[in-house]
């Protein structure tokens, strides 16, 4: 190929790519193509290829895809965007990406991971040690113990506790603190306002 | 240079304002998704990669200093992320261009059916090495200037230009070869 052909072909590619050539370059192309059959053929073929390149079908994904995408990004980068269900979905998505060739493995892996996390949580809670004060001085107040009315014997459930019974136990403050932490309440005041009332009225506790 | 609205959005996003981040995502997510799809040829992968690119963008946005346009900076992250993914991705049978090319023995490009030629061209692009494919996508599809592409890919303008010309010539030869010209 002559050097001039190489230069002209580069200009042809640039022109096809949307570059604006100056008048001198355009005249040079026209002049060369009028007498070089190979370069004219090159120009025609490149025109066909560029037409097809630009006309290549592109996916038109549904708007929902972009909504999901936006929410996922916002959740990851903006503090306070996380929700439990979204976190689980994000976990699932991350697991799914680990198995790009086997998408069916993702639900299985997510399930196994979920069970593992559940077992780990259960084991952690089961072996959670009580406070020394409670273990030494007072009967432990647990939901599984049998019902009793004596101050030495704890009642069977929170709903059966009366305020007097609670006050009769030694280390009541420690007991309340432990209950508060186990029920995930924000402060002792809140616990007293909300939980004591429900204990006295016999309503079930909400731990969330 | 970005328009004023975009500059303000970027500054607000750098402060972590969620509305600004949401607006920037909405403004660019389709464009980035389409670019990544042209590189990968797979919708699911493109969706995941687009998400990862935007997370990376807004994690790093405090480091954006306005030396290039936001769009160029965004494409730089998108291109590098996609190239990293493509170099790690194992080849899949369904992705192999020759597996999906229609049988054709026409005597010239002009005689090939339009749809077939489109498939040949598309698959020929996918046959290009990842970096050349990125240059072709950025130049031929996105019509970016060589200076922008050079910044995105971290190479010189001259290298970029010659790589693009080589890629287009290779593309033509590949299409001609596959169509038995």
């Amino acid at each position: 190929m002559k050097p001039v052909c190489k230069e002209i072909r580069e200009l042809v590619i640039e022109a096809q790519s949307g570059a604006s050539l100056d008048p001198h370059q355009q005249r040079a192309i026209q002049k060369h193509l009028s007498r070089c059959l190979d370069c004219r053929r090159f120009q025609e073929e490149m025109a066909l290829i560029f037409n097809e390149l630009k006309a290549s079908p592109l996916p038109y994904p549904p708007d929902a895809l972009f909504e999901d995408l936006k929410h996922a990004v916002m959740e990851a980068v903006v503090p306070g965007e996380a929700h439990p269900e979204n976190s689980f979905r994000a976990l699932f998505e991350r697991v799914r990406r680990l198995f790009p060739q086997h998408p069916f493995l993702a639900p299985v892996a997510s399930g196994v991971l979920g069970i593992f996390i559940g077992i780990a949580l259960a084991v952690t809670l089961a072996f959670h040690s009580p406070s020394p004060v409670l273990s030494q001085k007072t009967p432990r107040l647990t939901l599984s113990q049998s019902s009793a009315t004596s101050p030495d014997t704890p009642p069977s459930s929170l709903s059966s506790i009366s305020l007097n019974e609670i006050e009769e136990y030694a280390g009541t403050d420690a007991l309340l603190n432990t209950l508060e932490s186990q029920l995930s309440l924000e402060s002792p005041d809140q616990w007293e306002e909300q939980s004591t009332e429900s204990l006295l009225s016999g309503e079930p506790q909400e731990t969330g | 240079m970005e328009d004023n609205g975009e500059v303000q959005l970027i500054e607000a996003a750098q402060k972590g304002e969620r509305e600004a981040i949401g607006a920037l995502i909405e403004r660019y997510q389709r464009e980035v998704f389409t670019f990544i799809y042209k590189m990968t040829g797979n919708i699911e992968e493109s969706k995941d990669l687009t998400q990862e690119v935007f997370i990376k963008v807004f994690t790093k946005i405090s480091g954006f200093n306005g030396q290039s346009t936001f769009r160029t900076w965004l494409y730089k992250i998108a291109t590098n992320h996609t190239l990293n993914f493509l170099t790690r991705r194992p080849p899949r049978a369904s992705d192999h261009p020759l597996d999906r090319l229609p049988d054709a023995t026409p005597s010239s490009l002009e005689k090939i059916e339009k749809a077939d030629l489109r498939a040949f061209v598309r698959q020929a692009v996918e046959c290009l090495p990842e970096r050349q494919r990125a240059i072709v996508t950025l130049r031929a599809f996105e019509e970016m200037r060589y200076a922008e592409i050079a910044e995105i890919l971290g190479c010189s303008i001259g290298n970029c230009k010659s790589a693009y010309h080589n890629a287009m010539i290779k593309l033509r030869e590949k299409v001609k070869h596959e169509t038995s010209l």
Side-chain angles (χ1 to χ4, degrees), chain A residues 137-167:
Chain A
K137 294 172 68 181
T138 61
R140 289 187 64 194
L141 183 61
T142 62
L143 296 177
S144 60
Q145 285 178 294
S146 61
S147 177
T149 54
S150 161
D152 295 332
T153 311
S156 64
S157 71
L158 290 176
S159 61
S160 63
I161 301 173
S162 72
L163 184 60
N164 288 337
E165 283 173 327
I166 291 175
E167 287 175 344

Side-chain angles (χ1 to χ4, degrees), chain A residues 92 95-96 99 102-116:
Chain A
F92 177 79
V95 173
R96 188 173 63 77
F99 305 101
H102 306 286
F104 60 90
L105 281 180
V108 176
S110 298
V112 170
L113 195 57
I115 292 169
F116 177 77

